[in-house]
Amino acid sequence: MGTELVLWIVVATALAFDFTNGFHDTANAVATSISTRAMAPRVAVALAAVLNFVGAFLSLEVAATIASGIVDANLVSLPIVFAGLIGAIAWNLATWYFGLPSSSSHALIGGVVGAAFAAEGSKAVFGDGLMEKVMIPALVAPVLALITAGTGILLCYRIVGRQHPGAVSRGFRLGQIVSGSLFSLSHGTNDAQKTMGIIALALIASGHLDTGADPPTWVVVSAATAIALGTYVGGWRIIRTMGSRIIKMDPAQGFAAQSVGAAVILSASHVGFPLSTTHVISGAVMGAGAAKRISAVRWGVAGNIVVAWVLTLPAAAVVGAVTYAVTRLFGDGAAGPVVVSAVLLAALGWVFGRRVAGGRTLTAEG
Amino acid sequence: MLAAVKAGDIFEVVWVSLAAGVFVSVAFSFVVLGMARSAEAARGGRGSVAIAYAGLALLAFAAFAWAVGFGVHSMLSKD
């Protein structure tokens, strides 16, 4: 009974993480399109939500379970996964509150690493894996996207420079619909898999699923639905940061940032070196702005974003470790996860209640 | 620790991403250029020039669509 309860708490927490992953990363796909008025905001997030939902069904690469090669899979238990998810959700909510784009994948890895470290000590964490799968890609992604988008926008301006601005803007806005759609589809195929992987891992650990089996249909549908709903809710604070606070972009810059971002992510994925969509699109937006004029980029905002990236892994790890330690205070059973979940839900309810009482709803636009 | 990261992988990611990103941007810029010039030529009554620029836009769009198709294919062939 205890294991069953922990299992369903982990499933619910994984879906909650999936939801935050969706609304946190909406900006990656839609911010530039909204900023350049290629699409109306609600249309943009609705399209992104549908494509995230579809994307979740297109690939079932559940083998890419979270933190594989970074923590010792043999030592990962349901309480560790639960604590890791709480660490990731906490970081996603904190960065959303401050309107800072940061990697949900790195937050999840950080949460699991912290919980595993608290549970099993340093032997549970592979330093080489962290370096190879988190730190090096985190350095490569934004710099590569910045240089590529900078080169791309300079060539765009060179090619269309003497044309009528109205025709050029209309053309690039159409292009943004394609590049934004590609981005959303790619996000669905990548990020919904993380949640499916976590739920599959929990089902295997509790004896409900055979090792190596495909996830049940309800797992795929629920993960796809959670990420699509999160995307539709839209992380408007991050959309504002990405779309208009880093640079004031024209449609050509928006197209260059978005198409280069999609090209970089898919090329890296094709080569087998997945990069964070958040890091790539942020770098691409900065590159598209800096190539036009270095001072066009608000480097203070860019600096805050970079600080958030640096803090993502350690901050999520600390929350994951503390959550694990708290759950252990209540023993091996379901009591710890139940108490932690109840306290967090109560805290969220309190925040929501205060905002409603103050005349503001807890939407991302708030 | 750095030995764990294959320098060749990073180099491959860099050049493939750079090539793909620049290719997509340039291809679509030629679509926009072709469409704009074609419309301008059509308004000026220069039919053959309009057709030539429309052809350029079509070719560039084919290249752009190929890149998008390749991206979708990469996405779907991960398993």
Side-chain angles (χ1 to χ4, degrees), chain A residues 58-61 127-129 131-132 136 140 144 147-148 151-153 155-157 159-160 162-164 167-169 171-176 178-179 182 185-186 189-190 193 255-256 259-260 263-273 275, chain B residues 1-6 8-40 43 53 56 61 64-65 67-79:
Chain A
L58 293 182
S59 166
L60 294 179
E61 199 195 16
D128 283 357
M131 181 62 83
E132 187 179 357
I136 299 289
V140 169
L144 176 59
I147 292 169
T148 310
T151 310
I153 189 65
L155 291 169
C156 285
Y157 284 148
I159 292 166
V160 301
R162 292 182 183 175
Q163 305 312 307
H164 189 272
V168 170
S169 294
F172 281 119
R173 282 187 185 122
L174 283 174
Q176 279 191 274
V178 178
S179 55
L182 196 61
L185 201 62
S186 161
T189 61
N190 276 310
Q193 308 308 315
F255 171 78
S259 60
V260 161
V264 168
I265 285 164
L266 292 171
S267 302
S269 182
H270 184 68
V271 172
F273 194 82
L275 302 175
Chain B
M1 258 187 203
L2 279 171
V5 183
K6 293 174 194 159
D9 283 355
I10 297 176
F11 180 72
E12 192 179 358
V13 167
V14 169
W15 82 257
V16 171
S17 300
L18 198 57
V22 169
F23 177 82
V24 170
S25 305
V26 167
F28 198 78
S29 296
F30 276 113
V31 175
V32 174
L33 175 75
M35 280 166 49
R37 288 246 169 118
S38 176
E40 194 182 308
R43 276 196 302 274
Y53 275 116
L56 170 70
F61 185 77
F64 176 73
V68 171
F70 187 74
V72 173
H73 174 73
S74 308
M75 216 187 285
L76 302 185
S77 57
K78 279 188 299 184
D79 308 65

Side-chain angles (χ1 to χ4, degrees), chain A residues 74-116:
Chain A
N74 297 318
L75 300 175
V76 174
S77 61
L78 286 181
I80 289 176
V81 175
F82 169 75
L85 284 165
I86 296 294
I89 291 172
W91 185 249
N92 272 354
L93 290 176
T95 46
W96 159 75
Y97 185 81
F98 291 106
L100 294 170
S102 67
S103 169
S104 298
S105 306
H106 287 190
L108 186 52
I109 290 169
V112 173
V113 163

Side-chain angles (χ1 to χ4, degrees), chain A residues 185-276:
Chain A
L185 201 62
S186 161
H187 190 262
T189 61
N190 276 310
D191 285 35
Q193 308 308 315
K194 287 185 300 206
T195 303
M196 290 181 210
I198 289 167
I199 298 176
L201 184 70
L203 291 171
I204 290 167
S206 60
H208 289 78
L209 190 67
D210 292 331
T211 306
D214 278 342
T217 306
W218 68 264
V219 173
V220 179
V221 172
S222 57
T225 306
I227 201 164
L229 280 176
T231 304
Y232 185 70
V233 168
W236 295 102
R237 289 167 189 252
I238 302 175
I239 289 172
R240 267 198 294 275
T241 301
M242 192 83 88
S244 58
R245 289 185 62 216
I246 301 174
I247 62 169
K248 292 278 182 206
M249 68 182 85
D250 60 39
Q253 285 173 307
F255 171 78
Q258 214 167 33
S259 60
V260 161
V264 168
I265 285 164
L266 292 171
S267 302
S269 182
H270 184 68
V271 172
F273 194 82
L275 302 175
S276 158

Side-chain angles (χ1 to χ4, degrees), chain A residues 263-357:
Chain A
V264 168
I265 285 164
L266 292 171
S267 302
S269 182
H270 184 68
V271 172
F273 194 82
L275 302 175
S276 158
T277 53
T278 307
H279 293 175
V280 168
I281 194 69
S282 304
V285 167
M286 290 174 206
K292 191 174 184 182
R293 202 177 65 250
I294 295 285
S295 62
V297 179
R298 294 194 181 106
W299 293 107
V301 176
N304 288 341
I305 291 171
V306 172
V307 169
W309 292 349
V310 172
L311 290 178
T312 296
L313 197 108
V318 167
V319 177
V322 169
T323 304
Y324 182 81
V326 171
T327 58
R328 295 297 292 175
L329 291 175
F330 297 90
D332 289 337
V338 168
V339 169
V340 170
S341 304
V343 168
L344 290 176
L345 283 173
L348 279 175
W350 181 72
V351 171
F352 183 77
R354 273 176 60 95
R355 289 180 68 98
V356 170

